Amino acid sequence: MSFIVIKTQGQLELMKAAGRLTANVLELIRENVREGISSRELDALAYEFITKNGAVPSFLNYHGYPASICASVNDTVIHGIPDDYRLKSGDIISVDVGVFIGGYHGDAARTFTVGDVADDVKKLISVTEECFMKGFFAAQKGGFISDISKAVQQHAEAHGYGVVREYIGHGVGKAMHEAPEVPNYYAEGMQRIRLREGMTIAIEPMINLGSHLVRTLKDGWTVKTIDGKPSAHYENTIAITANGPEILTKA
Ligand code: MF3
Ligand code: CO
């Protein structure tokens, strides 16, 4: 979809309901991430929870994607396919989930730690969340999408981290991916898209401990850092309102 869909108050309420369920899935995952569990088991928990709540997992069968969550461990940036690998102490796992209910999608992601994680990696996770918050507060009506991009990038790069370029945030609504694109970096000559009341977008910094460069595995999905260093992901679906930005994927 190339045009930006502005949502009415009633539509925002529906998106809030989808967002709440999305956030609740991530809370369920948070409670279950521990040493010894596999991402396939986490995916099964998510599927069961989503469907029991009368919703549809947005990712399942999306362009052939085979699961309800993306589970990206350590140097996997995004789109990790749930498998039988058992998490061990020191791992991190980024879980991304989408939920479709009442005609609208919610889309959110968090990075969780398993057991004892190195301090520099814990720092990466907390700064990635801060990058989201910087972008979030920059998402004011009358401003530009690039205000978000610049805020995210500036905070990540101030810590010496790499900002992933190949994948970006996006509009969210009746479709999981709507216009506009929401990059986490800024480059001269980018489209100037104004932020307006009723816009709903996913801001989703993907931040690497090392190089910003990534590669895709032969499975066509799994995206890893080029240097094997860890990566963190933090995403919420938000609305631009008259009173400032509002997080829709809130538990
Ligand atoms: N949730 C991802 C995003 O934030 C998309 C996941 S792709 C899928 O844009 F195939 F896994 F669904
Ligand atoms: Co998204």
Side-chain angles (χ1 to χ4, degrees), residues 176-193:
M176 179 166 65
H177 291 138
E178 293 185 351
E181 295 186 333
V182 185
N184 296 303
Y185 66 99
Y186 179 74
E188 206 67 47
M190 273 183 172
Q191 243 184 314
R192 281 165 69 82
I193 296 170

Side-chain angles (χ1 to χ4, degrees), residues 22 33 54 58 88 110 117 121 159 172 214 250:
T22 307
V33 165
S58 305
K88 61 179 196 327
R110 304 282 183 269
V117 168
V121 180
H159 286 85
V172 183
V214 300
K250 220 159 38 187

Side-chain angles (χ1 to χ4, degrees), residues 107 170 177 202 204 235:
D107 188 4
H170 50 91
H177 291 138
E204 52 174 318
E235 173 180 27

Side-chain angles (χ1 to χ4, degrees), residues 81-152:
I81 299 170
D83 64 12
D84 294 317
Y85 171 79
R86 296 204 173 275
L87 294 172
K88 61 179 196 327
S89 182
D91 286 343
I92 61 170
I93 179 170
S94 300
V95 175
D96 191 343
V97 68
V99 161
F100 182 72
I101 189 167
Y104 290 89
H105 292 271
D107 188 4
R110 304 282 183 269
T111 301
F112 304 112
T113 59
V114 184
D116 294 318
V117 168
D119 285 342
D120 60 339
V121 180
K122 283 194 283 199
K123 179 81 180 169
L124 171 71
I125 294 171
S126 59
V127 171
T128 301
E129 178 173 352
E130 288 166 16
C131 285
F132 166 82
M133 292 309 302
K134 300 275 183 190
F136 174 69
F137 287 118
Q140 303 290 340
K141 70 166 190 170
F144 293 97
I145 289 285
S146 55
D147 297 339
I148 301 171
S149 309
K150 288 172 183 170
V152 170

Side-chain angles (χ1 to χ4, degrees), residues 57-70 78-81 96-98 106-109 167-172 176-177 202 204 206 221 233 235:
S58 305
F59 297 2
L60 189 59
N61 301 319
Y62 180 82
H63 293 287
Y65 187 75
S68 300
I69 63 171
C70 296
I78 48 163
H79 300 171
I81 299 170
D96 191 343
V97 68
D107 188 4
Y167 299 88
I168 57 181
H170 50 91
V172 183
M176 179 166 65
H177 291 138
E204 52 174 318
M206 291 149 262
W221 286 106
H233 189 195
E235 173 180 27

